[in-house]
């Protein structure tokens, strides 16, 4: 009877292959967590444990007796033999944990958002775990984290405490992004997950990224494309060492992500709650493009500060002057900055330090007083001068760091993170201050306050130019040393939170020796991040493409520089597809380049609402080599902007935009056309969205390092 139903027959076939036995729903309790098109199905086994049907599994239920593999948040030491989500030592030395299902609560936080809390407990100990999920229905986003608490007579030692341990069916492809300084996100790798454990991680403490990135994409049932495939993007909200382990035991694949257990045992006192970082999951059944558009919507609403506010056009002096400037040199940049159309001036590194002036990266870090010789009357007159020219003013800072050659280090050598009996290991000639020490917290917040309170300052770039290699704290007790990695990040968030609250109208850029910090753990306190010190537009095209899987353009700082010595029109066009800025000495630009920059700024102002708040469609992958193309569509679909970046010489082939309203009629205009190049064939012509998406637009570029920015308006 049962076998006559083809769907059930398929399920039984699948179950036989994967060792899952079907059961009638009456024998088990099942419930689900749902967004618009994503579901996590849970089942409580007859043994009282919580199980999960692998995502992508066609089966309807599991037989709990046979399926320890499918436990939802598996614990080490009592029967589970694969990579656990939770591993700890109880107060009495027992190294096993065994969690049973207690109950579930669901709370509507808005029409679109639901908070679900699933409670588990260990029957042998007063030890509880709550699995938390915040689902955003329309965007198919799930925020997942875990809360751990106990009332044992002494601390429990947490050894491994994942934020998530989602189970997937087999046949999954993983896309991840290895990098290095100035090569962040430049090398996407897509590989099939095969039996064994694949680990992406970092062990660098004060930032998540430098080599491995805490963002990845899982494609279910084979590789996905921009428009096809079931994809699940993952992003860990944590600015310290992380681990994402993909454990394939041929029965399913478990994606375990969270704080890196490496050197990070954590003593949890009775009645205290350990809250893991949030893991973000973003789902689409329609490929990578749809996934990113949902991710960007979530990010603008919840992931970054003021995600719906227009960003200014910024001019930075770092590439123009480096450390070599004084009041007059900087002030001389304001008139050309205004003339060309920029709106905000950012003063970079080198403005502080007196006993040890910050004239290079060897000295002065930590001494946050303006240098008397360079800025005799401090920062305020410079900010006032910028404001007088109609420019907002911003300042660079690196509050967590110190040069040994500084007054701060002379006074407080015990304030740095270091290992006893080891020589200090410097990176960029600097050390990390121990933020777990309350005096350091106070010192850093006071430094930040003194900088951001300067009248006329409305923007700041918060840098962090090294990572942790000697994780020892002279402040923490010997038994708490392994807690430094975690306590540092929490102390950092406390500092960022205080800063954001004390200066609600000051825009903040997150930077870390380039793109070391780009995680949503920090980004909630910031408006944008610096993707890389590599501003060569030829590198930026693929780099920004890769970042765009996870981050909206408005969060991605993209500055025009001379790096790579590319044509100015190409450099400007690439930067216009991000959060546009410039890092050039305008006084030294040729008249032609100056006109190109002015044209780009004016064009950007016309379309920044589309790139910042519209939907992104990635059209042609620059990793394929010849050119990259993408377009943004305004939320009401009345306008769009298409970018074509020619990386190598090619044919003048059409570019086909996506996401337009097929019925609407759009007029084509190239913005800021390159001087001397023939106008586009369809310049000024009007077509329906359907025609444009079907027939495409012939761009004005075909040669290497040419670019074309096309506005479509109805
Ligand atoms: C880091 C940043 C640069 C610049 C320098 C200043 O390297 O990534 O943009 O601010 O610090 O020292």
């Amino acid at each position: 009877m049962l076998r006559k139903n083809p769907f059930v027959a398929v399920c039984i076939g699948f179950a036989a292959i994967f060792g899952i036995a079907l059961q009638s729903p009456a024998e088990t309790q099942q419930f689900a967590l749902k967004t618009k098109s994503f579901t996590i199905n849970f089942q409580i086994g007859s043994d009282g444990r919580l199980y999960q049907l692998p995502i992508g599994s066609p089966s309807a239920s599991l037989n709990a007796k046979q399926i320890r593999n499918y436990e939802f948040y598996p614990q080490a030491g009592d029967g589970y033999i694969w990579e656990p989500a939770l591993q700890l030592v109880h107060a009495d030395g027992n190294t096993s944990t065994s969690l049973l299902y207690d109950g579930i609560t669901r709370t509507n936080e808005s029409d679109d958002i639901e908070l679900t809390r699933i409670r588990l407990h260990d029957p042998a100990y007063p030890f509880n775990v709550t699995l938390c999920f915040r689902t955003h229905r329309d965007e198919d986003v799930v925020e997942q984290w875990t809360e751990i608490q106990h009332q044992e007579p002494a601390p429990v030692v947490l050894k491994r405490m994942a934020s998530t341990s989602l189970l997937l069916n087999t046949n999954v492809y993983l896309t991840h992004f290895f990098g290095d300084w100035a090569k962040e996100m430049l090398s996407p790798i897509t590989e099939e997950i095969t039996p064994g454990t694949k680990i992406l991680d970092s062990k660098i403490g004060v930032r998540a990224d430098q080599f491995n990135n805490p963002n990845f994409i899982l494609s279910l049932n084979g590789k996905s494309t921009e428009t096809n495939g079931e994809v699940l993007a993952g992003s860990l909200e944590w600015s310290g060492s992380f681990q994402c382990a993909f454990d394939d035991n041929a029965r399913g694949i478990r994606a375990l992500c969270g704080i890196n257990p490496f050197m990070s045992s954590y003593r949890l006192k009775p009645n205290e709650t350990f809250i893991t970082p949030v893991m973000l999951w973003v789902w689409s059944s329609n490929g990578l493009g749809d996934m990113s558009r949902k991710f960007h919507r979530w990010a603008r609403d919840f992931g970054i500060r003021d995600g719906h506010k227009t960003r200014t056009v910024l001019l930075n002096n770092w590439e123009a002057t480096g450390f070599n400037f004084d009041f007059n040199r900087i002030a001389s940049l304001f008139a050309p900055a205004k003339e060309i159309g920029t709106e905000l001036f950012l003063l970079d590194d080198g403005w502080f330090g007196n006993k040890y002036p910050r004239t290079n990266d060897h000295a002065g870090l930590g001494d946050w007083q303006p240098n008397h010789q360079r800025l005799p009357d401090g920062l305020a007159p410079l900010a006032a001068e910028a404001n007088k020219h109609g420019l907002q003013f911003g300042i660079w800072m690196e509050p967590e760091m110190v040069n040994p050659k500084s007054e701060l280090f002379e006074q407080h050598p015990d304030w740095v993170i270091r290992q006893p009996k080891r020589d200090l290991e410097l990176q960029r000639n600097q050390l990390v201050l121990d933020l777990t020490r309350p005096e350091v917290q106070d010192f850093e917040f006071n430094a930040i306050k003194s900088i951001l309170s300067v009248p006329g300052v409305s923007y700041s770039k918060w840098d962090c130019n090294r990572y942790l290699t000697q994780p020892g704290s002279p402040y923490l007790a010997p038994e708490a040393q392994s807690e430094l990695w975690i306590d540092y990040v929490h102390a950092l968030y406390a500092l960022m939170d205080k800063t954001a609250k004390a200066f609600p109208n000051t825009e903040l850029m997150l930077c870390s020796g380039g793109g070391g910090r780009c995680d949503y753990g920090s980004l909630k306190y910031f408006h944008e991040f610096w993707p890389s010190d590599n501003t060569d537009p030829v590198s930026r095209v693929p780099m920004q493409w890769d970042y765009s899987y996870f981050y909206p353009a408005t969060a991605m700082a993209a500055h025009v520089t001379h790096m790579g010595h590319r044509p100015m029109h190409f450099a400007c066009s690439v930067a216009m597809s991000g959060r546009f800025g410039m890092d050039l000495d305008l006084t030294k630009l040729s008249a032609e380049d100056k006109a190109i920059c002015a044209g780009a700024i004016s064009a950007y102002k016309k379309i920044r609402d589309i790139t910042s708040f519209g939907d992104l469609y990635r059209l042609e992958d620059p990793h394929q080599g010849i050119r990259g193309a993408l377009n943004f569509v305004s939320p009401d679909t009345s306008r769009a902007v298409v970018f074509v970046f020619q990386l190598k010489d090619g044919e003048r082939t059409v570019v086909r935009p996506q996401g337009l309203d097929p019925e609407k009629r759009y007029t084509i205009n190239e913005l800021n056309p390159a001087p001397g190049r023939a106008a586009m064939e369809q310049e000024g012509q009007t077509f329906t969205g359907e025609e444009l998406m079907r027939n495409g637009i012939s761009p004005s570029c075909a040669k290497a390092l040419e670019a074309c920015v096309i506005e479509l308006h109805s």
Side-chain angles (χ1 to χ4, degrees):
M1 172 74 184
L2 203 60
R3 284 201 167 263
K4 279 189 188 148
N5 178 334
F7 172 72
V8 174
V10 168
C11 290
I12 287 174
F14 169 83
I17 293 165
F18 290 93
I20 303 169
L22 289 175
Q23 250 182 342
S24 95
E27 288 174 43
T28 56
Q29 193 185 330
Q30 293 184 325
F31 59 92
L33 210 79
K34 280 185 192 225
T35 60
K36 202 149 107 190
S37 57
F38 183 58
T39 305
I40 309 175
N41 285 304
F42 295 97
Q43 182 171 317
I44 300 150
S46 49
D47 58 359
R49 293 178 192 274
L50 181 68
Y51 294 94
Q52 184 217 324
L53 260 79
I55 309 284
S57 156
S59 148
S61 68
L62 304 164
N63 179 337
K65 287 202 183 108
Q66 300 175 17
I67 50 163
R68 281 303 294 276
N69 297 317
Y70 300 94
E71 191 157 359
F72 183 63
Y73 191 74
Q75 314 97 52
D78 187 32
Y80 186 80
I81 57 165
W82 308 103
E83 201 68 31
L86 186 67
Q87 183 196 347
L88 56 102
V89 183
H90 288 279
D92 64 2
N94 189 337
T95 56
S96 70
T97 301
S98 205
L99 296 176
L100 301 183
Y101 174 79
D102 255 355
I104 179 169
T105 52
R106 296 180 192 255
T107 318
N108 283 328
E109 295 189 335
S110 76
D111 286 351
D112 184 49
I113 303 173
E114 185 181 62
L115 174 67
T116 302
R117 297 171 64 86
I118 303 174
R119 295 185 311 279
L120 310 172
H121 79 285
D122 188 329
Y125 290 92
F127 183 88
N128 309 295
V129 168
T130 307
L131 305 169
C132 308
F133 306 83
R134 178 172 287 113
T135 48
H136 299 256
R137 195 189 54 220
D138 286 350
E139 283 80 26
D140 284 322
V141 172
V142 180
E143 299 173 33
Q144 186 190 350
W145 70 98
T146 303
E147 298 178 0
I148 304 167
Q149 214 206 31
H150 70 92
Q151 292 82 37
E152 298 189 22
V156 155
V157 182
L158 301 175
K159 298 277 186 188
R160 182 177 285 267
M161 45 292 191
S163 299
T164 185
S165 60
L166 208 59
L167 264 171
L168 310 160
N169 211 353
T170 50
N171 192 18
V172 172
Y173 282 79
L174 167 69
T175 302
H176 56 104
F177 304 86
F178 194 77
D180 201 336
W181 176 77
K183 295 190 197 119
E184 296 88 343
M185 298 292 271
L186 263 182
S187 317
I189 300 162
T190 298
E191 57 186 307
E192 187 174 4
I193 300 180
T194 51
T197 309
K198 166 89 190 175
I199 289 182
L200 308 176
D201 78 345
S202 70
K203 303 183 183 76
I204 52 177
V206 300
R207 55 167 94 145
D209 185 19
Q210 164 107 2
F211 309 106
N212 279 316
N213 191 281
N215 295 295
F216 58 85
I217 301 164
L218 298 166
S219 298
L220 279 65
N221 302 314
K223 288 185 186 168
S224 49
T225 66
E226 283 296 320
T227 47
N228 275 305
E230 295 188 320
V231 295
L232 190 58
S235 181
L236 185 70
E237 295 188 9
W238 186 242
S239 310
S241 306
F242 73 95
Q243 188 191 76
C244 296
F246 303 92
D247 192 27
D248 181 346
N249 60 19
R251 297 163 174 85
I253 295 167
R254 188 180 290 285
L256 297 121
C257 303
I259 292 173
N260 198 335
F262 171 73
M263 287 177 96
S264 294
S265 294
Y266 203 91
R267 291 161 315 142
L268 180 63
K269 295 197 197 101
N271 293 315
E272 281 184 358
T273 305
F274 188 91
I275 304 178
T276 70
V278 169
M279 180 70 191
L280 277 173
W281 291 113
V282 186
W283 170 262
S284 171
S285 323
N286 298 308
L288 298 162
D290 181 55
M291 176 279 290
S292 293
R293 288 185 285 280
K294 290 172 179 167
F295 213 145
H296 298 171
R297 284 198 281 272
W298 173 87
R300 282 190 292 263
D301 286 348
F302 304 102
I304 58 172
R305 280 178 65 197
D306 299 329
H308 295 275
K309 203 171 133 189
T310 302
R311 308 297 194 237
T312 47
V313 178
L314 174 155
L315 178 70
N316 191 359
N317 69 303
W318 179 244
E319 296 287 328
T321 68
F323 289 105
N324 188 17
F325 62 82
D326 60 11
F327 180 97
N328 289 331
R329 174 84 170 97
I330 295 297
S332 75
L333 303 173
F334 296 155
K338 183 65 190 169
E339 187 196 326
I340 207 170
T342 63
E343 298 160 312
L344 163 73
F345 185 89
L346 168 63
L347 176 66
D348 215 285
D349 196 356
W351 56 265
F352 49 87
N354 282 299
K355 183 171 175 189
Y356 301 106
R358 179 79 173 164
T359 47
N360 54 49
D361 63 15
H362 287 258
L365 213 50
D367 299 344
W368 296 107
Q369 299 77 35
N371 178 275
H372 298 323
Q373 266 177 351
R374 296 178 162 209
L375 304 169
D377 298 309
L379 286 163
L382 201 55
E385 187 66 15
N387 295 168
K388 209 166 78 191
H389 281 84
L391 298 169
Q392 297 176 34
F393 191 72
I395 306 180
W396 179 95
M397 61 180 176
E398 192 175 3
E400 298 154 75
M401 301 287 164
V402 62
N403 284 129
K405 214 168 154 192
S406 67
E407 291 185 71
L408 181 66
F409 187 74
E410 279 178 353
Q411 287 156 17
H412 300 289
D414 52 338
W415 278 15
V416 298
I417 292 178
R418 62 188 301 176
Q419 295 284 19
K421 303 183 185 161
R422 308 287 172 209
D423 292 340
L424 286 171
E425 206 235 12
L426 304 183
Q427 276 177 14
R428 209 191 186 208
N429 314 302
Q430 66 194 56
L431 296 162
V432 185
L433 289 166
D434 182 1
L435 256 180
T436 62
R437 184 186 279 269
E439 304 94 279
V440 172
Q441 270 275 343
D442 289 347
F443 170 84
E444 292 191 23
F445 187 54
N446 285 333
I448 292 168
K449 266 202 305 201
S450 71
I451 297 167
L452 301 189
S453 305
V454 170
V457 169
S458 58
Y459 184 95
S460 185
K461 172 177 176 182
W462 179 322
D463 217 331
C464 162
N465 275 312
R466 69 158 293 167
Y467 48 76
L468 219 56
T469 53
Q470 296 175 307
S473 162
Y475 171 72
L476 294 176
E479 63 277 16
Q481 290 296 312
S482 64
E483 291 157 24
L484 174 66
W485 300 91
I486 294 172
D487 286 349
Y488 183 93
V489 179
H490 284 139
L492 175 67
Y493 289 159
L495 189 65
M496 289 174 168
D497 188 43
K498 271 195 284 188
T499 305
K501 288 191 173 123
F503 298 94
N505 301 318
T506 304
E507 277 187 34
L508 294 178
M509 182 210 280
L510 183 59
C511 178
S512 184
R517 275 185 187 155
C518 61
D519 55 274
Y520 280 108
S522 291
L523 261 177
K524 62 167 79 73
Y525 309 108
F526 288 77
H527 295 76
E528 62 183 281
F529 68 94
W530 183 239
S532 177
D533 281 347
N534 184 346
T535 49
D536 178 349
V538 167
S539 303
R540 278 296 183 119
V541 171
M543 191 181 269
Q544 290 171 195
W545 175 280
D546 291 343
Y547 272 117
S548 82
Y549 289 119
F550 312 98
Y551 303 98
T554 191
M556 243 191 273
H559 294 183
V560 179
T561 72
H562 289 299
M563 196 178 277
H565 307 288
R566 313 298 181 184
M568 186 57 78
H569 184 265
F570 185 75
C572 284
S573 306
V574 173
M576 281 168 69
S577 66
R579 183 256 188 264
F580 190 53
M582 302 212 148
D583 201 339
L584 297 169
D585 187 343
L586 301 178
T587 60
K588 294 195 179 131
L589 283 189
S590 67
E592 182 175 297
D593 280 355
K594 217 169 166 179
I596 292 171
C597 289
I601 292 172
S602 141
Y604 178 73
K605 287 177 182 170
K606 272 197 213 153
I607 48 121
R608 66 179 154 190
D609 61 320
I610 314 177
T611 56
S612 304
F613 315 127
D615 275 338
L616 168 70
Y617 293 82
R618 284 178 298 260
L619 307 175
E620 294 178 36
D621 184 350
H623 293 287
Q624 307 303 327
I626 304 293
R627 72 179 188 185
L630 37 100
N631 76 281
F632 296 85
V633 180
S634 67
D636 66 359
T637 68
S638 67
R639 291 157 65 223
V641 55
V642 184
F643 291 88
V644 184
F645 308 120
Q646 201 72 41
L647 297 170
K648 294 200 178 126
D649 288 345
E651 304 288 309
R652 196 180 300 276
T653 42
V654 295
V655 58
R656 290 191 174 79
Q658 293 174 19
L660 305 176
D661 181 336
E663 309 286 319
K664 282 199 179 108
R665 295 181 64 73
Y666 297 89
T667 303
I668 300 179
N669 287 123
E670 179 170 5
L671 295 176
N672 195 32
R677 214 186 296 158
M680 287 172 32
E681 284 163 29
Q682 296 140 304
E683 179 67 33
Q685 297 179 24
T686 301
F687 300 92
T688 64
E690 193 275 328
E691 285 164 338
L692 288 167
M693 292 191 286
R694 179 161 44 86
N695 300 329
I697 304 164
S698 182
S700 64
C701 56
K703 290 205 196 101
L705 306 182
E706 290 183 345
C708 184
V709 182
I710 306 158
E711 191 190 13
L712 306 174
H713 50 95
S714 58

